Amino acid sequence: MIWGIFGLLTLVAIGIVLYPLLLSKSNTLTRGDAVPAILADQMQEIERDMDRGLISEQEAQAARLEIKKRILATTRNLEAKAGSSRSGGRGTLVVAAVLAPVIAAGYYLTMGSPEVPSMAFAARAEERAQTDEVTALAIQLRERLISDPTGGPSEGWMLLGQTYQRMGRTVDAVEAFEVVAKREDATSATFSMLAEAVAVANDGVVIPRAKLAIDRALELDPSNPAATYFESLYHLQKEETRKAYDLLVSRLNQEKTFVPWMETYVLQINRIAAAADLPVVNLPSGPTSPPGPSAADVATASEMNDADRAEFIRSMVSRLAERLEDEPDDLDGWMRLANAYTVLEEPDRAVEAYRKAEALLEQQPASDPRRAAVRAALERLGG
């Protein structure tokens, strides 16, 4: 149905462009059409001048000849230009009118997403209503904080900053975090969240302003995993790959058992290791480690060919997805599933899993580095 409407609109547009061109052939009046009248008028003027004795017969004859030559030359010139204009200009417009929609349709089919269904109007209305509600609440909170004679509680400013961060208003988030950063009760988490907001506001680049916040966060709490993560990112952007790698590995080795942010560290460490030919690392084993493939699974996979191994991996991913349907609060499980879908080149499913993880991260501490990892992954996937 929609393609039929598109086709009809295309035909109407072509008709609108071509209709004036078809009429112009019969309705256009050129200067060449006025040549006979000009000739007659000039000749009559010469006759009147000769009758009044202003010019002689020989001068009149020479004037008649000159006028005829000029008018003839002008007529030929105009006809030549009109012919080229009608053939070249009109032809160009006709070709453009036909090719423009064809090229546009081809480009859309190649670069666009015609197979992606549009979101229902009701769903968009509900989404807009939720966005408007959050925006209104953020405005109310900011007004209350500003009007507070004491400057507003730090917890309120931090909540406002996190809200702005989720809304994508990173500049406003930075301003909110900086209010608390200037106070004596600012914590390490305050500065690590400020560093993240500044980096996100600058397309993920850890600029000097963010580096100052990172240094202050580590000064207040050297074990802050989020601050260490962004410190490593800073060195990685300066092409100090080994230093970035060692920072993460050193902080990871300080923990004896699994903690939730470890998976983010391991992913980043192994990403650096793959690019710089450095040793990869594994999550520490223990009762709190996230479940993974068993020794039997690994042995079975090693004996398979590429096609069977890929199918086996997909079956394991499917089992993880089924388990998460029954255990939707497993944050690390959603992150593992999202990473698996990314490896399997299924970006839509990866984005969906990362969105589940992002929602669960709202309940985690602000210093949790998984927040930054999820945001970075969604940006890479265009989610």
Side-chain angles (χ1 to χ4, degrees):
M1 180 63 182
I2 188 65
W3 290 108
I5 295 174
F6 286 164
L8 179 61
L9 292 175
T10 301
L11 292 176
V12 170
I14 293 175
I16 291 173
V17 173
L18 295 182
Y19 183 70
L21 299 177
L22 296 176
L23 291 180
S24 64
K25 186 172 183 180
S26 59
N27 295 341
T28 302
L29 183 64
T30 67
R31 290 182 61 186
D33 298 330
V35 169
I38 295 172
L39 176 61
D41 184 66
Q42 292 289 330
M43 292 303 179
Q44 290 174 5
E45 185 68 24
I46 292 172
E47 293 297 332
R48 286 194 296 270
D49 290 345
M50 191 176 63
D51 293 340
R52 290 196 297 267
L54 298 178
I55 59 175
S56 65
E57 177 64 29
Q58 293 179 349
E59 291 174 335
Q61 187 66 27
R64 291 190 195 99
L65 182 60
E66 182 64 25
I67 290 172
K68 289 180 180 179
K69 288 180 178 179
R70 290 183 180 180
I71 291 176
L72 184 59
T74 302
T75 302
R76 289 175 178 173
N77 231 0
L78 290 174
E79 288 179 349
K81 289 182 178 179
S84 63
S85 173
R86 284 193 296 270
S87 61
R90 183 179 291 112
T92 301
L93 287 175
V94 171
V95 172
V98 174
L99 289 184
V102 174
I103 294 173
Y107 179 81
Y108 176 71
L109 291 172
T110 304
M111 305 301 295
S113 303
E115 75 283 354
V116 177
S118 62
M119 184 182 294
F121 178 79
R124 293 199 302 270
E126 181 179 354
E127 182 179 344
R128 287 196 299 270
Q130 292 177 352
T131 302
D132 293 342
E133 182 180 1
V134 173
T135 302
L137 291 173
I139 292 173
Q140 293 177 10
L141 176 58
R142 186 175 186 277
E143 289 176 349
R144 290 180 183 178
L145 292 170
I146 292 177
S147 61
D148 191 325
T150 64
S154 296
E155 294 81 3
W157 284 106
M158 294 300 293
L159 176 60
L160 181 63
Q162 293 176 66
T163 303
Y164 281 145
Q165 188 90 320
R166 289 193 296 270
M167 294 170 64
R169 297 171 55 177
T170 52
V171 174
D172 293 329
V174 170
E175 293 179 357
F177 291 140
E178 284 187 332
V179 171
V180 184
K182 296 175 182 177
R183 298 178 175 180
E184 294 182 357
D185 61 346
T187 64
S188 178
T190 301
F191 288 98
S192 60
M193 292 182 69
L194 172 59
E196 178 184 356
V198 173
V200 173
N202 289 274
D203 299 324
V205 178
V206 182
I207 63 174
R209 186 181 180 188
K211 182 62 167 63
L212 289 174
I214 294 169
D215 293 341
R216 181 58 177 156
L218 291 172
E219 180 183 344
L220 293 172
D221 180 9
S223 65
N224 183 332
T228 304
Y229 182 91
F230 284 105
E231 172 83 358
S232 170
L233 185 60
Y234 170 76
H235 290 294
L236 188 62
Q237 291 171 353
K238 291 183 62 179
E239 299 185 356
E240 298 175 353
T241 307
R242 185 66 198 221
K243 190 169 185 178
Y245 174 88
D246 290 341
L247 273 172
L248 295 178
V249 172
S250 175
R251 180 63 186 88
L252 185 68
N253 289 337
Q254 292 177 21
E255 303 294 333
K256 302 303 180 184
T257 57
F258 176 79
V259 286
W261 52 261
M262 280 186 169
E263 189 165 73
T264 301
Y265 264 51
V266 170
L267 288 173
Q268 181 70 350
I269 290 170
N270 290 338
R271 190 179 295 117
I272 296 173
D277 195 22
L278 295 169
V280 298
V281 299
N282 297 310
L283 286 170
S285 59
T288 57
S289 297
S294 64
D297 290 335
V298 175
T300 301
S302 63
E303 298 173 357
M304 296 178 176
N305 57 38
D306 291 343
D308 291 340
R309 187 181 298 109
E311 185 62 30
F312 179 73
I313 292 173
R314 288 186 179 276
S315 69
M316 293 179 63
V317 173
S318 298
R319 289 201 302 270
L320 176 58
E322 292 173 359
R323 181 178 68 78
L324 289 173
E325 292 296 326
D326 298 327
E327 303 175 16
D329 295 331
D330 185 356
L331 170 58
D332 294 302
W334 286 112
M335 292 189 68
R336 286 196 302 278
L337 181 63
N339 185 61
Y341 281 141
T342 302
V343 173
L344 292 174
E345 297 183 352
E346 297 183 16
D348 293 339
R349 291 185 175 182
V351 168
E352 183 181 356
Y354 275 125
R355 289 296 183 197
K356 298 281 189 181
E358 187 178 41
L360 293 172
L361 277 168
E362 299 297 332
Q363 307 169 10
Q364 300 301 316
S367 61
D368 194 321
R370 290 176 295 181
R371 291 174 177 266
V374 169
R375 287 196 186 99
L378 286 172
E379 288 180 3
R380 287 196 302 273
L381 293 169

